[in-house]
Amino acid sequence: MGYVRSVFRCLIFLVLVAFLTTTPASASSFSFVGSGWGHGVGLSQYGAKALAIDGASHTDIISKYFLNSSVTPYTTTEYGTFLTTEEFPLWVGLRQNSDNISFIVETGSARLCFDQSNLCVANALPDEHWWFGLDGKGSCIFSKIRLDGAFQTVGPSSECSASIIPDSKDTIVKVPFKARSYKRGVLKVRQNPVSKKLHTVYALGVEDYMKGISEVPDSWPESAIEAQVVTSRSHVVWNAIDRGEANSFDLDRKNDCYCNIYDDNRDQIFRGYSGEVLHPVWLKAVKSTSAKVISYFGSTALGMYSSSSGGFTENYFDVFASDGHPYLVTVNDSAAFSDSASNPHATWTAGYSQKTLAQAFNFSWVVDAKITERNDSGSVKTILLKGILDGRPLQKEISGVLFRNALSLRSTDFEIRTTLRFKDVGVEHP
């Protein structure tokens, strides 16, 4: 009996030791307390919301967040460029490097054509399910998907450059892969010259593109939505001009997406006609600000925006390490933290273990993390990490932007709180 009690006591002791030694390691060793969400450059969405509630117009809001700017039609700032001379200047990359694309004509009809040979092989009618893709012999084919699931090839195979051309502006084409429908443009397929896979793009005009995005809730004040629309339009116009028209795409762009606008967070999410019907207030703002962009001394300005800053917006250079946008500088964004803004990102917290931090920055073990320099906005510019790699002391200076991206923090505006694993041993102790 005494032996059993001894064993039992030993087991309890071992369990307690295990608990006491593993609990601190599993808890977060580094905690972050911050504010804002996003890169913090340009328009602050929650700041714009608060300013609009206080009576500011969309031009007032733009002039606050974009220094020395004005609001001008892009038909003036980009006069004579492909954006004003072509019917479908924007090529939005819906999908890259696939073997095929399927589509359904929901309303109206559309011609199915090979572009290089100028050959149209069929007319797609409502509710017909179509497929375009590689035929395994270096060419591409159009096929109709029958009700029984069988593929019926229509017309000859030809080059892998094709268009689904609507017969009217009322034609709506659905792309199942995107779970979205599109209107007033042309669905195009182009071949990656390197991989020989297929890029699917949607070509359309600037205003029709603007109808298919929605970057703030329809419930927000009208002038805040208008400010966002003008900023978003400036973003797409500036980037389209920077990347060029479809006829001038270089090999890298053809290989990348065969597009001048991305359908993701590199630019803006394009929801097409599906998004348009769900956001009537956004649609109204697009119409009321038709063609308007932010201009800087006669040129279209790069429209940048984020949810909110940490109190002051960021200099473009401090975030992206390049010049060329003197209107994107630090401005007071206290409006984003007013009661009327109802900003859910006014404060945030996050916690990470030493193991997570070590893995993120290639340490064996991280001992300490300290902010060593801040930007003019007050956000973190550099962080000094101290730890061990392969049994030897190591320290690294990490930029605030890289640190935020590696840990998926909401912003670069934060404080770091370090919880020592051993309370009686300082971080400087060897």
Side-chain angles (χ1 to χ4, degrees):
M1 194 68 176
Y3 172 77
V4 173
R5 285 198 183 113
S6 297
V7 171
F8 183 70
R9 287 171 181 163
C10 286
L11 286 173
I12 291 177
F13 176 77
L14 290 173
V15 168
L16 286 172
V17 169
F19 176 79
L20 292 172
T21 56
T22 58
T23 299
S26 63
S28 296
S29 298
F30 297 90
S31 59
F32 302 86
V33 179
S35 59
W37 190 14
H39 52 60
V41 178
L43 180 75
S44 163
Q45 292 174 323
Y46 278 96
K49 177 187 176 184
L51 292 171
I53 291 173
D54 288 342
S57 67
H58 72 272
T59 53
D60 293 334
I61 295 170
I62 294 295
S63 64
K64 173 179 175 58
Y65 288 103
F66 297 85
L67 187 67
N68 296 322
S69 70
S70 59
V71 176
T72 309
Y74 76 85
T75 49
T76 299
T77 60
E78 304 303 335
Y79 179 78
T81 68
F82 71 96
L83 284 181
T84 61
T85 60
E86 292 187 12
E87 183 180 7
F88 303 121
L90 300 185
W91 283 42
V92 183
L94 302 184
R95 188 182 186 187
Q96 290 79 49
N97 294 310
S98 64
D99 291 324
N100 57 72
I101 177 70
S102 64
F103 56 93
I104 302 168
V105 176
E106 292 187 319
T107 62
S109 60
R111 287 166 286 146
L112 313 183
C113 307
F114 291 102
D115 291 336
Q116 292 176 7
S117 58
N118 197 27
L119 172 67
C120 294
V121 300
N123 207 45
L125 300 176
D127 297 325
E128 290 182 345
H129 196 163
W130 287 84
W131 181 95
F132 178 85
L134 300 164
D135 65 357
K137 300 177 183 179
S139 297
C140 283
I141 53 174
F142 280 102
S143 297
K144 182 189 291 187
I145 303 176
R146 300 188 320 205
L147 293 178
D148 62 2
F151 283 63
Q152 177 187 342
T153 300
V154 177
S157 61
S158 190
E159 79 281 352
C160 295
S161 179
S163 293
I164 292 85
I165 306 171
D167 286 327
S168 76
K169 290 186 177 180
D170 293 325
T171 298
I172 300 174
V173 178
K174 181 177 182 178
V175 178
F177 175 80
K178 301 293 290 187
R180 297 173 191 157
S181 299
Y182 303 92
K183 187 178 181 181
R184 295 184 298 272
V186 178
L187 187 65
K188 292 181 175 289
V189 183
R190 291 294 184 266
Q191 191 169 35
N192 184 324
V194 177
S195 71
K196 304 304 179 183
K197 298 284 189 176
L198 303 179
H199 295 319
T200 302
V201 301
Y202 196 70
L204 75 171
V206 174
E207 294 310 295
D208 287 327
Y209 170 85
M210 288 303 304
K211 295 172 184 176
I213 62 174
S214 51
E215 294 297 302
V216 292
D218 266 26
S219 60
W220 280 21
E222 182 177 315
S223 60
I225 299 176
E226 289 175 337
Q228 180 63 61
V229 168
V230 173
T231 303
S232 291
R233 188 183 287 112
S234 303
H235 182 94
V236 69
V237 167
W238 191 94
N239 278 293
I241 289 294
D242 184 59
R243 295 163 186 160
E245 60 184 312
N247 291 335
S248 68
F249 288 164
D250 59 19
L251 181 61
D252 288 340
R253 184 138 298 278
K254 291 177 180 179
N255 179 44
D256 182 29
C257 66
Y258 225 113
C259 68
N260 51 25
I261 299 297
Y262 295 105
D263 181 23
D264 56 36
N265 290 330
R266 285 173 289 182
D267 285 323
Q268 298 167 108
I269 304 299
F270 177 59
R271 298 175 177 85
Y273 186 66
S274 298
E276 184 177 327
V277 297
L278 293 175
H279 299 93
V281 181
W282 174 272
L283 187 62
K284 179 183 176 183
V286 170
K287 293 178 180 178
S288 66
T289 64
S290 180
K292 289 183 179 180
V293 295
I294 305 165
S295 65
Y296 182 76
F297 291 99
S299 298
T300 303
L302 174 60
M304 298 288 290
Y305 58 93
S306 62
S307 177
S308 68
S309 68
F312 287 83
T313 63
E314 300 284 358
N315 285 310
Y316 183 89
F317 180 84
D318 290 337
V319 177
F320 299 103
S322 80
D323 290 314
H325 306 288
Y327 43 86
L328 293 173
V329 295
T330 294
V331 301
N332 188 312
D333 188 31
S334 58
F337 299 88
S338 63
D339 291 341
S340 59
S342 300
N343 185 355
H345 313 295
T347 60
W348 53 264
T349 59
Y352 296 90
S353 66
Q354 294 189 359
K355 180 179 179 181
T356 300
L357 219 62
Q359 290 176 339
F361 299 102
N362 196 29
F363 280 81
S364 301
W365 187 259
V366 172
V367 176
D368 193 23
K370 287 185 177 179
I371 298 168
T372 55
E373 189 176 4
R374 290 186 179 272
N375 296 308
D376 292 341
S377 66
S379 64
V380 175
K381 185 172 184 178
T382 54
I383 292 173
L384 184 66
L385 290 181
K386 294 182 179 181
I388 297 170
L389 178 62
D390 296 331
R392 297 190 178 189
L394 176 69
Q395 64 181 33
K396 292 182 180 180
E397 193 171 70
I398 309 292
S399 74
V401 174
L402 177 61
F403 194 86
R404 177 211 170 202
N405 292 339
L407 296 180
S408 297
L409 298 175
R410 293 194 198 183
S411 71
T412 54
D413 197 289
F414 55 81
E415 298 286 348
I416 304 176
R417 297 174 182 172
T418 304
T419 301
L420 298 179
R421 188 176 188 191
F422 304 108
K423 294 182 179 180
D424 57 342
V425 182
V427 295
E428 301 297 333
H429 196 286

